[in-house]
């Protein structure tokens, strides 16, 4: 059964008084437990789509159905992980991770139990009392993921969470991400600009066109896990996606 | 910087109080300009004794009509050099007024009350604080329970009328105005609590440097001052309307004739100087801590040029 | 190095006192205009003994604290409101900038007429001095919050009051501190200015007494006290708060 | 968008006046405490006609200009001196920081005793308000000059006065402007505060008259004028100067 | 005859109260019209030496002789070009170039004649009225060189003037620099951390040891000009210098 269903999503933005059509009618379906990667040229509206799915923005036309009910507002059933993590610098690692629980009014001891579990999973236990500026970028991204998982969301929405990482850290997290997905059975929608990342992580890769964007193609990736960035068998997928994206990126560049 | 004092001009400050009728009438009737001839007169109305002394010290005035307390303060602060007494101008003319609906009838009722007097170091302020001290009361800034507001007469009127204060120790015409217009009750006139039932309230004082440089001008001024006092005493009614005119010119407000009349009747206009009372003021100011803590003396308070002396009583 | 610099400073302050005393002894100006350091010290000493100094300091500080507290709360609320609601910013915001350019003492006459000679009047002036600085800085601070912080918090369920206290205020805190620092400085100016004009207890009142009695020792003594309080509050409270927050944000 | 925002603003100001007039008409407070906008406008009108308003503005602005000029020159000189001579900084510098924390009105009693009720006294207060802000910013500015600029200039033969006017001052200019902006704001506070206390011509004096006559219209009218002057000076002079310099430095 | 002669230059700095010996006795000679490049590990004191030669700093021991007279103060006969150019942002390009002339009190028309010549030489005529922030980094460096040449110094002291440039701009300026030297016959002392740069530009390359530094070796480069960075024949020199520097750089790293 479809967990999440995008139906003809259209979104305009106001650019210096001119309307700019960012999303031109997005249609696709995400199954329960799916790991879907979204790729597309820069500025095509991937983040916008994610924010609409998170309920942080409203579409101008169409709707996204979650378990067949239209999404009207944001909620902890769909937690977003941001590119820079969006960790709160004024809170310690543990307090960052527990933020959503505290908002939900969960008492301290229970909060600690939950956060301990995820800090452990993310190998962050030793840093529970550190401030975020004391962590490396990779550790910070793990805190962000822990903060999301703690909420036990049905869907994880990840917006280029590994874009700021160096290659080694990213390769490590690619593996960890797959393990987390297998362990937690979450439905994940993952935006990335790295084609290789999308083939390593995704069950499906959704390719966006340039603005106003629609879905160009959905490519299922059938390959055993854990996959590594070096896996040669992924190259055929990567070539296909590359070929699909090339004209879109070009069109984007010409427009701007 | 302040203009140099010179032979061609004399600068004088006084208040818009009724006890200052001598300079006011003298100016209005032209006695000073008649006497001084070519010497230009610049007059300025100030708010309070301390302001007048300030002006003298700042070399922005040569003569001032002030109360004895500010004079003593200025005299002591300048080491006995800065200013000298030239003549008297008036006795009496201050009252202690309370809100008529207040329970105040004796000194002990003043505990916890708010009382106004014009400016710290002014004669009414000294009298008020001395009165409180004699009755065992302490002002709030010394940790006591009586709050004293030192503010200008105009503001005392406003705040009294809004019941922002319980009592005021003020000069005329403010005292009578509080009684007649704003529901005040005159608890007593200040002279009532003085040993001789009178006290000096206005003195003519001069900046020593000017006095010594221009004894001739000073002599003429003192003559005119006497003439003005005499005229007031001979024509009380005309003096009242002269004051009303002046007050209107200065503040834009018309004073009720009754008020002026009542005020006038409490004041004695004279150039005589009550030396004993001045030293009593000094003693009181000293015990209030206004004159420092190293003692004081009043040995040389009069302008000592012989020519001037003869015009003093 | 540090010892040397301290020695220099001590020597310099001693030199100031010596020169001051020298000028005094040289009798260039009369003592009524130019008192000796000893006179000033004596004034402070007597004020300390008879309690009027402590009373003055206490009164002024309490007014400052009350006014500052109101300004801080009000300023934060107003600033957040302006930052989050466009229309409020376009209307009230434009007035705030204007009000900020009114010297706080200029509020004193209005305060006297509206509140009379009361603590409330002086506190009003203090608030008028401090409020707008806190407001403007809060506004800037909230406007500069990384929008992802807000999105993330909302996504995790924060809204309304929780969003404000758990996200907007802590996220804008470095700016709030700048606002507090400016606000307290203006507020302190307001307290002293209002006390001078109201002449109703406090250090400004003691300063005014000095003026009206032509007592320069008193004036200088009170200025010294006002200066020391300024240095202490700035150095002990706000500097420390700033250092702490900056450290926590990883900015130092 | 811009038109909409302007419309909103206009509507808002009109609304303020309407509400104000409404409150006045409702007679909640007596007119002596709460005048109508019409009263205030009338006060301004009469002041403009009989010239007293222009005289007040002129007097205050001239004092501000004189005081600011002295503070600017003195502050730049002192700041450069402090930045270039370590000992001066360790001694005088530490005092300046303290003096900066004295509210400018607190200088007024001293100014009255020392200078009397004169322009000089008010200008003294203005200078005391503005000087230290200019000094401290100049100091910071000169300290932050890229040392290569100074080395290069010296290498090309610049020294003494030429080094100061052709290198140190222009190089530190962005900081000087910050100093000027702070300095003028404090100086303006000083002028108004001193005029209130001296009660000797100027806008502060007119404000004080309003106070003493309990004439709230006059008080509000003068506050309005003081506010407008503040906005105009800040917006027209200092904002423009800043924009220009920033553009030249390539910072905008 | 020796134009400039460094005699046992020793320089200490104060580091948190501890004396740090930067220069440990520098001895070498620069002939009239020489183009000398200084290379050495970072922090060995090359810039310090240059500043002492410029008279902007004083040595603690020893002295530098210019035409046999000891240098006591800075002067326009030895003009320094700084790494970032040290152009004055508050002046237009022309005013920057004319700065030294103005200080010297030369009247405007004459100033303009001189600056015109050098702006022309540096192909900057079109930018005479631009502010420096409007120029590219390479153009700015040319302004700095023009500003130095205008002073007609006997010696040009250049402190890594090309370090902030991208490769292409730098290659261009390397050729221009050689042309300027040949045209003007100036004596040039040129500090660089690029071994290839030193071999392209220098008649001699002076290799500094690590701190407290002395001269390790002076290598004459005999090769026709204009030389290019790609010249294969320069590689032998570069290898030699590399070999000389390697232990010095290592020693520097171990110390810190
Ligand atoms: N709040 C906004 N206001 C105005 N325009 C916006 C806003 N958010 C996004 N846009 C515009 O909408 C378009 C899509 O933006 P979006 O951030 O969703 O793209 P993206 O696919 O995530 O790009 P990238 O890969 O660079 O992150 C862009 O052209 C952007 O300029
Ligand atoms: N003004 C100064 N105060 C203290 N130490 C200094 C100063 N100038 C230089 N030093 C120290 O002297 C040493 C030599 O510095 P210098 O800048 O001359 O080295 P360099 O060879 O130019 O290095 P680089 O190649 O990194 O530019 C360094 O260790 C530096 O820390
Ligand atoms: Mg995006
Ligand atoms: Mg160097």
């Amino acid at each position: 059964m479809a967990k999440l269903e995008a139906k003809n999503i259209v979104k305009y933005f106001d650019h210096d008084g001119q309307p700019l059509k960012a999303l031109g009618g997005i249609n696709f379906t995400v199954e329960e437990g799916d790991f879907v990667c979204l790729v597309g040229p820069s500025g095509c509206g991937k983040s916008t789509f994610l924010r609409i799915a998170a309920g942080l923005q409203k579409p101008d036309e169409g709707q996204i159905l979650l378990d067949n009910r239209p999404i009207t507002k944001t909620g902890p059933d769909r937690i977003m992980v941001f590119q820079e993590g969006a960790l709160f610098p004024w809170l310690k690692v543990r307090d960052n991770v527990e933020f959503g629980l505290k908002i939900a009014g969960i008492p301290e001891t229970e909060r600690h139990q939950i956060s301990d579990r995820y800090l452990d999973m993310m190998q962050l236990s030793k840093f529970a009392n550190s401030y975020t500026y004391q962590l490396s970028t990779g550790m910070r991204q793990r805190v962000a993921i822990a903060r999301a998982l703690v909420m036990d969301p049905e869907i994880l929405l990840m917006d280029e969470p590994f874009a700021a990482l160096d290659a080694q850290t990213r390769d490590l997290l690619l593996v960890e991400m797959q393990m987390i997905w297998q362990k937690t059975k979450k439905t994940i929608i993952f935006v990335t600009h790295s084609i290789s990342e999308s083939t390593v992580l995704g069950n499906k890769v959704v390719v966006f066109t340039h603005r106003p964007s629609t879905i160009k193609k959905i490519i299922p990736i059938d390959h055993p896990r854990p996959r590594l960035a070096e896996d040669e068998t992924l190259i055929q997928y990567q070539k296909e996606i590359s070929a699909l994206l090339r004209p879109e990126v070009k069109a984007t560049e010409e427009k701007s | 910087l302040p203009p140099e004092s010179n032979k061609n001009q004399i600068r004088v400050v006084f208040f818009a109080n009724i006890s200052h009728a001598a300079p006011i009438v003298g100016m209005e009737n032209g006695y000073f300009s008649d006497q001084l001839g070519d010497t230009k007169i610049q007059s300025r109305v100030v708010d309070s004794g301390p302001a007048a002394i300030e002006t003298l010290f700042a070399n922005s005035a040569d003569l001032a009509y002030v109360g004895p307390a500010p004079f003593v303060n200025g005299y002591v602060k300048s080491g006995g050099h800065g200013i000298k007494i030239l003549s008297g101008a008036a006795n009496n003319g201050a009252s202690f007024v309370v809100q008529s609906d207040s329970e105040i009838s004796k000194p002990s009722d003043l505990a916890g009350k708010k009382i106004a007097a014009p400016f710290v170091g002014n004669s009414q302020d000294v009298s008020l604080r001395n009165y409180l001290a004699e009755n065992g009361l302490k002002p709030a800034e010394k940790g006591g329970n009586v709050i004293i507001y030192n503010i200008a007469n105009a503001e005392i009127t406003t705040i009294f009328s809004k019941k922002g204060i319980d009592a005021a120790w003020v000069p005329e015409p403010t005292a009578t105005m509080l009684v007649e217009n704003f529901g005040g009750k005159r608890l007593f006139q200040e002279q009532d609590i003085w040993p001789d039932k009178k006290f000096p309230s206005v003195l003519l004082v001069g900046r020593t440097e000017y006095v010594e440089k221009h004894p001739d001008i000073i002599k003429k001024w003192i003559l005119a001052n006497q003439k003005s006092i005499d005229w007031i005493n001979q024509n009380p009614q005309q003096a009242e309307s002269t004051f009303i005119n002046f007050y209107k010119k200065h503040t834009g407000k018309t004073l009720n004739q009754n008020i002026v009349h009542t005020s006038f009747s409490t004041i004695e206009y004279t150039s005589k100087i009550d030396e004993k009372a001045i030293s009593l003021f000094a003693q009181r100011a000293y015990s209030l801590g206004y004159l420092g803590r190293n003692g004081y003396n009043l040995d040389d308070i009069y302008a000592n040029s012989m020519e001037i002396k003869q015009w003093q009583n | 190095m540090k010892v040397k610099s301290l020695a220099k400073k001590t020597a310099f302050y001693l030199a100031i006192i010596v020169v001051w005393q020298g000028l005094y002894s040289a009798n260039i100006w009369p003592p009524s205009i130019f008192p000796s350091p000893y006179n000033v010290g004596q004034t402070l000493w007597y004020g300390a003994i008879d309690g009027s100094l402590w009373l003055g300091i206490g009164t002024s500080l309490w007014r400052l604290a009350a006014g500052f507290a109101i300004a801080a709360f009000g300023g934060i609320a107003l600033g957040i409101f302006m930052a989050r609601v466009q229309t409020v910013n376009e209307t009230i915001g434009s007035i705030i900038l204007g009000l900020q350019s009114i010297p706080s003492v200029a509020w004193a006459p209005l305060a006297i007429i509206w509140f009379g000679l009361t603590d409330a009047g002086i506190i009003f002036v203090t608030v008028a001095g401090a409020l707008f600085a806190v407001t403007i800085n809060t506004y800037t601070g909230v406007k500069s919050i990384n929008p992802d912080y807000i999105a993330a918090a909302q996504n995790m369920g924060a809204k309304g009051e929780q969003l404000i206290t758990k996200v907007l205020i802590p996220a804008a805190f470095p700016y709030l501190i700048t606002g507090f620092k400016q606000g307290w400085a203006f507020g302190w100016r307001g307290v002293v200015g209002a006390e001078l004009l109201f002449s109703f207890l406090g250090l400004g009142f003691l300063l005014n007494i000095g003026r009206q009695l032509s007592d320069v020792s008193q004036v200088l003594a009170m200025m010294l006290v006002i200066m020391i309080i300024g240095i202490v509050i700035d150095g002990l409270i706000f500097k420390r708060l700033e250092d702490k927050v900056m450290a926590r944000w990883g900015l130092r």
Side-chain angles (χ1 to χ4, degrees), chain A, chain B, chain C:
Chain A
M1 197 197 78
K3 180 74 188 164
L4 189 129
E5 211 179 337
K7 285 188 155 178
N8 191 35
I9 300 293
V10 173
K11 177 75 186 174
Y12 291 89
F13 283 110
D14 177 274
H15 262 222
D16 303 325
Q18 301 294 323
L20 173 117
K21 192 171 190 175
L23 299 177
I26 298 287
N27 289 290
F28 72 96
T29 306
V30 178
E31 306 298 325
E32 172 109 44
D34 231 353
F35 198 143
V36 177
C37 287
L38 312 187
V39 296
S42 177
C44 74
K46 304 177 296 294
S47 299
T48 303
F49 176 80
L50 226 50
R51 277 197 296 270
I52 292 174
L56 291 166
Q57 264 174 14
K58 298 229 175 305
D60 291 308
E61 289 171 32
Q63 55 185 11
I64 298 185
L65 303 178
L66 177 71
D67 297 325
N68 281 324
R69 277 187 305 274
I71 288 171
T72 55
K73 59 181 192 352
T74 190
D77 49 351
R78 288 148 287 140
I79 290 294
M80 186 131 164
V81 177
F82 295 84
Q83 175 170 339
E84 309 277 349
L87 295 179
F88 302 138
W90 60 91
L91 295 179
K92 292 181 178 175
V93 166
R94 178 188 295 287
D95 297 322
N96 260 294
V97 172
E98 292 181 0
F99 183 89
L101 304 175
K102 206 164 177 183
I103 293 288
I106 291 166
E108 186 167 344
T109 43
E110 199 175 328
R111 267 193 341 246
H112 279 11
Q113 277 169 15
I114 301 175
S115 64
D116 277 344
R117 194 162 80 239
Y118 287 97
L119 285 172
D120 200 44
M121 185 195 280
M122 292 289 150
Q123 292 156 28
L124 286 165
S125 304
K126 279 208 294 191
F127 298 93
N129 289 314
S130 304
Y131 284 102
T132 57
Y133 73 91
Q134 296 167 316
L135 307 183
S136 71
T137 327
M139 287 158 81
R140 257 179 257 169
Q141 217 42 270
R142 293 210 302 266
V143 177
I145 295 170
R147 184 173 75 170
L149 290 175
V150 151
M151 303 301 291
D152 196 20
E154 296 173 33
I155 303 184
L156 263 182
L157 303 164
M158 308 183 80
D159 194 1
E160 309 200 23
F162 302 158
L165 303 183
D166 60 289
Q168 279 127 314
T169 316
R170 183 204 307 229
D171 287 351
L172 256 166
L173 279 177
L174 283 180
V175 176
E176 278 179 31
M177 199 62 228
Q178 295 177 65
M179 281 161 47
I180 291 167
W181 175 66
Q182 284 175 324
K183 239 192 267 178
T184 61
K185 296 280 163 218
K186 300 279 174 218
T187 309
I188 298 179
I189 306 181
F190 189 106
V191 169
T192 175
H193 61 255
S194 153
I195 295 173
S196 118
E197 208 171 283
S198 73
T199 55
V200 172
L201 292 176
N203 284 349
K204 291 179 197 155
V205 175
V206 177
V207 182
F208 279 54
T209 69
H210 67 271
R211 222 172 40 217
S213 52
T214 53
I215 303 301
K216 186 157 192 179
K217 191 165 180 192
I218 300 181
I219 299 160
I221 314 271
D222 264 330
H223 195 71
R225 292 181 188 268
R227 307 173 191 158
L228 296 175
E230 302 88 46
D231 278 358
E232 305 241 323
T233 33
L234 292 173
I235 289 180
Q236 63 169 110
Y237 296 109
Q238 291 165 10
K239 279 196 179 147
E240 187 187 352
I241 298 169
S242 255
L244 286 164
L245 277 178
R246 208 165 299 123
E248 305 304 329
V249 172
K250 219 173 143 208
T252 307
E253 277 166 4
E254 274 160 13
K255 253 192 293 183
S256 61
Chain B
L1 284 173
E4 289 265 318
S5 63
N6 60 48
K7 205 172 165 50
N8 295 327
Q9 74 164 11
I10 185 161
R11 298 161 302 170
V12 58
V13 297
F14 48 86
F15 315 164
N17 293 347
I18 287 186
S19 48
H20 287 243
I24 290 168
V25 165
M27 294 299 294
E28 297 292 301
N29 290 2
Y31 297 144
F32 294 120
S33 45
D34 289 351
Q35 272 295 341
L36 267 61
D38 285 346
T39 309
K40 247 182 68 197
I41 302 170
Q42 279 185 20
S43 70
R44 179 149 131 214
V45 175
V46 296
D47 242 2
S48 68
I53 298 297
E54 215 167 77
T55 323
L56 286 177
F57 278 176
N59 196 11
S60 301
D62 306 309
L63 297 181
Y65 287 85
V66 291
F71 164 75
V72 164
N73 182 55
Y75 177 83
V76 171
K77 289 285 158 59
S78 65
H81 304 303
I83 51 177
K84 303 283 175 181
I85 296 178
L86 301 173
S87 167
N91 288 338
N92 308 343
S95 294
F96 189 50
V97 180
V98 302
Q99 298 279 2
S100 54
D101 53 6
S102 77
E103 314 277 82
I104 301 171
S105 60
K106 55 185 184 304
S108 58
D109 296 338
L110 292 174
K113 294 292 191 288
K114 298 175 181 169
I115 310 171
F119 300 106
V120 175
N122 150 298
S123 299
Q124 285 84 43
D125 173 63
V126 171
S127 298
L128 167 63
R129 287 173 191 270
N130 174 66
Y131 180 72
L132 292 177
E134 279 179 350
N135 290 292
L137 292 165
K138 254 175 37 176
E141 69 268 17
K142 304 266 186 210
N145 60 0
V146 182
I147 298 176
I148 299 178
Y149 294 108
N150 291 109
I151 46 180
N153 288 322
E155 281 172 289
I156 293 179
T157 313
T158 312
I159 289 170
F160 191 91
S161 72
K162 289 187 199 153
K163 310 247 182 231
I165 44 178
D166 302 293
W169 197 299
V170 278
E172 298 296 352
T174 309
T176 308
M177 272 163 73
L178 293 184
V179 173
E180 299 288 326
N181 298 349
F182 302 110
K185 186 172 81 189
R186 200 187 302 261
L187 205 62
F188 53 78
Q189 296 195 354
E190 181 170 343
Q191 57 263 38
D192 300 344
I193 60 167
W194 279 77
D196 298 339
K197 299 291 171 222
K198 72 172 188 205
F199 69 100
S201 56
V202 185
L203 304 171
L204 171 59
V205 309
R207 200 156 54 77
T208 312
E209 188 218 345
Y210 188 94
V211 171
E212 284 171 357
K213 262 198 198 148
H214 308 293
D216 45 332
I217 299 180
I218 295 296
K219 191 168 77 181
K220 291 176 187 165
W221 189 279
I222 292 173
L223 268 175
N225 184 61
Q226 185 62 53
K227 188 168 177 196
S228 179
I229 289 172
D230 293 343
W231 187 82
I232 294 167
N233 287 326
Q234 285 150 22
N235 311 285
Q237 263 158 12
Q238 275 163 283
E240 282 170 25
S241 49
T242 305
F243 182 82
I244 292 172
N245 286 339
F246 164 83
Y247 198 83
K248 169 100 175 104
K249 246 192 330 195
H250 177 65
T251 66
K253 287 183 186 163
T254 308
L255 279 178
N256 181 317
Q257 208 150 359
N258 266 344
I259 290 176
V260 176
H261 183 72
T262 315
S263 302
F264 251 93
S265 63
T266 66
I267 298 168
E268 175 190 351
Y269 295 95
T270 170
S271 56
K272 285 210 182 73
I273 298 166
D274 182 348
E275 209 165 328
K276 244 176 41 206
I278 292 176
S279 54
L280 193 52
F281 263 118
Q283 217 175 305
R284 290 173 175 179
Y286 185 75
S287 62
L288 290 172
Y290 286 181
L291 302 182
R293 286 157 182 100
N294 305 320
Y296 67 96
N297 77 67
L298 298 179
D299 295 347
D300 202 16
I301 56 174
Y302 300 111
N304 58 5
S305 144
M306 284 310 292
E307 286 174 272
I308 297 168
K309 266 270 164 73
Q310 66 188 87
W311 296 105
Q312 290 165 353
N313 304 74
Chain C
M1 286 298 266
K2 283 220 163 156
V3 176
K4 217 171 125 198
S5 150
L6 192 73
K8 264 190 206 168
K9 231 173 252 181
T10 318
F12 174 67
Y13 286 115
L14 281 177
I16 285 189
I17 294 181
V18 168
V19 170
W20 179 358
Q21 179 70 45
L23 282 174
Y24 172 78
S25 307
N27 246 317
I28 306 176
W29 300 285
S32 64
I33 285 193
F34 196 88
S36 72
Y38 176 76
N39 297 149
V40 174
Q42 208 184 24
T43 304
L44 281 175
W45 176 247
Y46 282 119
I49 282 187
D50 79 358
S52 60
L53 179 62
W54 309 120
L55 207 71
I57 292 177
T59 310
S60 291
L61 285 183
W62 129 249
R63 287 164 178 167
L64 177 67
F68 181 75
I70 296 173
F73 277 102
I76 290 176
L78 209 56
I80 291 178
F81 204 40
M82 269 165 59
R84 302 286 294 173
V85 187
Q86 178 65 8
T87 305
V88 174
N89 184 35
E90 280 171 358
T91 54
I92 299 183
S94 68
I95 278 201
I96 299 261
L97 275 177
L99 293 177
Q100 163 70 354
S101 73
I102 297 181
S104 46
V105 273
W107 291 93
L110 200 64
I112 291 176
I113 294 172
W114 281 356
F115 293 92
L117 298 174
T118 59
D119 272 353
I122 292 179
I123 291 170
F124 175 82
V125 176
T126 314
V127 172
L131 179 68
F132 309 118
V134 179
T135 307
I136 291 170
N137 280 286
T138 304
Y139 169 79
T140 314
V142 174
K143 275 286 179 191
S144 341
I145 295 177
N146 178 349
D148 284 352
Y149 290 166
I150 300 175
Q154 287 175 327
N155 188 209
M156 289 187 280
K159 50 177 174 266
E161 185 211 358
Q162 274 186 323
L163 188 67
I164 291 174
T165 57
K166 292 227 180 348
V167 183
L168 297 187
I169 291 180
F173 214 74
Y175 287 85
L176 290 191
I177 288 186
T178 309
F180 290 165
K181 276 179 70 175
Q182 285 180 15
W184 109 256
F186 285 126
W188 185 227
R189 281 164 164 73
V191 170
V192 173
E195 286 176 348
L196 263 166
L197 280 165
F198 279 59
S199 207
F200 167 44
L201 305 182
L203 290 171
F205 166 71
L206 295 178
L207 198 57
N208 203 25
I209 288 194
R211 168 200 171 183
Q212 296 193 340
L213 296 178
S214 298
D215 183 349
V216 187
S217 297
Q218 168 94 356
V219 169
L220 287 176
M222 289 310 125
M223 288 182 73
L224 207 65
V225 172
I226 290 170
M227 174 171 118
I228 290 169
I229 291 180
I231 295 175
V232 167
I233 294 188
D234 216 36
L236 285 194
I237 303 184
F238 289 103
K239 194 89 188 55
R240 285 206 184 168
L241 194 62
E242 192 174 19
D243 286 349
K244 235 181 200 161
V245 169
M246 288 303 174
R248 170 164 297 195
W249 253 244
L251 295 177
R252 274 201 194 140

